[in-house]
Amino acid sequence: MIVTTTPQIEGHTIVEYKGIVTGETIIGANFLKDIAAGFRDFFGGRSNSYEKVLIESKETSLKEMIERAQALGANAIVGVDIDYETVGNGGSMLMVATSGTAVVIN
């Protein structure tokens, strides 16, 4: 399945629009990651634990969106948007939402 942020796919023609598809993931950051990130924030540097959570959440959300597109009979998704938000009490959870248009291309 081709997944792209562009509205069209070079070399292909969109022959059918199946509709908007989405994927959502909400994941909690555990206490130890928060402590480690606090040290990184204070001393500088990247927080590998949070980066791994972001990557995992994005991949899960994209996978869910692709599965929904496949269920509609699509073979590509165009116009993909990825949004990151913190939710929950004190922003303790991370939400990743993906959306795009499921299409059939030739």
Side-chain angles (χ1 to χ4, degrees), residues 37-49:
F39 284 121
R40 293 271 190 219
D41 188 39
F42 183 77
F43 294 109
R46 296 172 64 168
S47 174
N48 289 333
S49 58

Side-chain angles (χ1 to χ4, degrees), residues 55-77:
I55 291 167
E56 177 187 339
S57 299
K58 180 191 69 167
E59 289 174 354
T60 302
S61 184
L62 285 168
K63 181 179 178 219
E64 184 176 287
M65 182 180 65
I66 289 167
E67 289 171 355
R68 290 176 178 168
Q70 289 172 332
L72 294 174
N75 63 357
I77 304 172

Side-chain angles (χ1 to χ4, degrees), residues 5 9 52 56 86 102:
T5 59
I9 301 169
K52 287 178 185 176
E56 177 187 339
T86 55

Side-chain angles (χ1 to χ4, degrees), residues 2-79:
I2 297 174
V3 178
T4 180
T5 59
T6 61
Q8 298 178 358
I9 301 169
E10 189 173 331
H12 296 277
T13 302
I14 295 174
V15 295
E16 186 177 356
Y17 289 86
K18 294 292 192 173
I20 296 171
V21 287
T22 62
E24 303 83 14
T25 303
I26 297 177
I27 191 162
N30 71 30
F31 179 70
L32 294 176
K33 288 180 186 175
D34 286 344
I35 291 173
F39 284 121
R40 293 271 190 219
D41 188 39
F42 183 77
F43 294 109
R46 296 172 64 168
S47 174
N48 289 333
S49 58
Y50 274 130
E51 287 177 2
K52 287 178 185 176
V53 169
L54 279 171
I55 291 167
E56 177 187 339
S57 299
K58 180 191 69 167
E59 289 174 354
T60 302
S61 184
L62 285 168
K63 181 179 178 219
E64 184 176 287
M65 182 180 65
I66 289 167
E67 289 171 355
R68 290 176 178 168
Q70 289 172 332
L72 294 174
N75 63 357
I77 304 172
V78 296

